[in-house]
């Protein structure tokens, strides 16, 4: 499972889904930045993020509070996207689309303001975002594969195919080192966001 061969097999299994997750996310960013985006919903999400930021600012140690809040929320969202992907892959796709649209909308707001959009992205998104997105893409890749292999397993069982659940079982086995990688990536991302990104955004 954690052997080099096992990890390579796991990556080969989810690589196509990982690429799909990347494409869907960045396509959703373009939708979020377009004039046809659901503005009311996204404004509501941004207000909730602002409220969380204000609550963090009011603590004795904002960096520590930010670390635990960000890590907890991202871990919960990633593990739910992975686990609940078994239900037709709906959850991971929803996570990718909603987050992609929200980031695209945020960037479009910055672009239409007096702020330097590249400066805001470089300071507020890139330091932690690259690491965090890798974890989310990986979690959603497993979630989509869970959903597809589960549906295929049911179909193959009904049609009498041999070893109908083998791909699903392999996905479940590979998800264990996948979860370990996600936890490590999200922990590093939370450290970066609560320190480097926080300091850059405050400067």
């Amino acid at each position: 499972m954690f052997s080099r061969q096992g990890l390579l097999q796991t990556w080969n299994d989810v690589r196509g889904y990982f690429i799909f997750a990347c494409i869907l996310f960045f396509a959703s960013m373009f939708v979020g930045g377009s004039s046809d985006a659901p503005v009311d919903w996204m404004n509501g999400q941004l207000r909730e993020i602002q409220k969380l930021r204000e609550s963090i600012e009011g603590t004795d140690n904002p960096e520590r509070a930010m670390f635990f809040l960000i890590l907890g929320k991202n871990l919960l969202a990633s593990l739910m996207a992975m686990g609940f992907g078994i239900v037709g892959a709906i959850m991971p796709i929803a996570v990718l689309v909603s987050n992609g649209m929200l980031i695209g909308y945020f960037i479009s707001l910055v672009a239409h303001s007096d702020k330097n959009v590249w400066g805001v992205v470089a300071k507020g998104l890139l330091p932690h975002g690259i690491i965090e997105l890798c974890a989310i893409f990986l979690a959603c890749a497993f979630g989509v594969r869970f959903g597809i292999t589960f549906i295929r397993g049911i179909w193959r069982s009904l049609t009498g195919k041999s070893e109908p659940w083998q791909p699903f079982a392999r996905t479940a086995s590979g998800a264990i080192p996948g979860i370990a990688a996600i936890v490590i990536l999200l922990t590093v991302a939370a450290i970066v966001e609560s320190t480097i990104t926080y300091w850059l955004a405050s400067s």
Side-chain angles (χ1 to χ4, degrees):
M1 185 183 300
F2 284 92
S3 66
R4 184 173 180 273
Q5 183 178 0
L7 293 174
L8 285 174
Q9 179 63 61
T10 297
W11 172 244
N12 287 333
D13 286 342
V14 301
R15 180 174 52 193
Y17 300 93
F18 186 91
I19 294 171
F20 166 77
C22 295
I23 293 171
L24 182 59
F25 177 85
F26 289 110
S28 299
M29 281 183 61
F30 283 105
V31 174
S34 71
S35 58
D36 297 327
V39 174
D40 291 339
W41 174 79
M42 290 187 291
N43 280 333
Q45 294 299 306
L46 291 178
R47 283 193 295 270
E48 291 300 317
I49 293 173
Q50 182 60 31
K51 288 179 182 178
L52 286 175
R53 185 174 181 84
E54 290 172 356
S55 67
I56 290 171
E57 293 286 353
T59 62
D60 295 332
N61 192 326
E63 291 90 343
R64 183 175 62 188
M66 181 179 287
F67 169 79
F68 285 109
L69 179 63
I70 291 169
L71 180 60
K73 287 177 69 67
N74 286 339
L75 272 176
L76 179 62
S78 296
L79 295 179
M80 286 181 66
M82 178 186 283
F84 286 107
I86 194 173
V87 186
I90 295 172
M91 183 75 171
I93 290 175
V95 168
L96 291 166
V97 171
S98 60
N99 281 278
M101 289 179 63
L102 192 59
I103 292 178
Y105 181 64
F106 171 74
I107 292 175
S108 72
L109 289 179
V110 175
H112 287 90
S113 68
D114 294 331
K115 296 180 181 179
N116 182 344
V117 62
W118 298 113
V120 171
V121 170
K123 288 183 177 182
L125 294 177
L126 285 183
H128 67 278
I130 295 174
I131 306 170
E132 187 175 295
L133 285 177
C134 285
I136 293 172
F137 293 159
L138 184 60
C140 290
F142 271 104
V144 173
R145 181 170 166 81
F146 266 126
I148 290 176
T149 55
F150 183 73
I151 293 171
R152 284 179 178 173
I154 294 174
W155 174 252
R156 289 172 67 88
S157 294
L158 293 174
T159 55
K161 302 290 185 180
S162 61
E163 298 184 343
W165 294 102
Q166 197 272 339
F168 181 82
R170 199 166 69 196
T171 303
S173 177
I176 297 174
I179 290 172
I182 290 165
V183 171
I184 292 170
L185 287 170
L186 289 180
T187 301
V188 173
I191 293 171
V192 173
E193 186 170 1
S194 61
T195 54
I196 297 173
T197 303
Y198 179 76
W199 297 332
L200 288 173
S202 302
S203 61

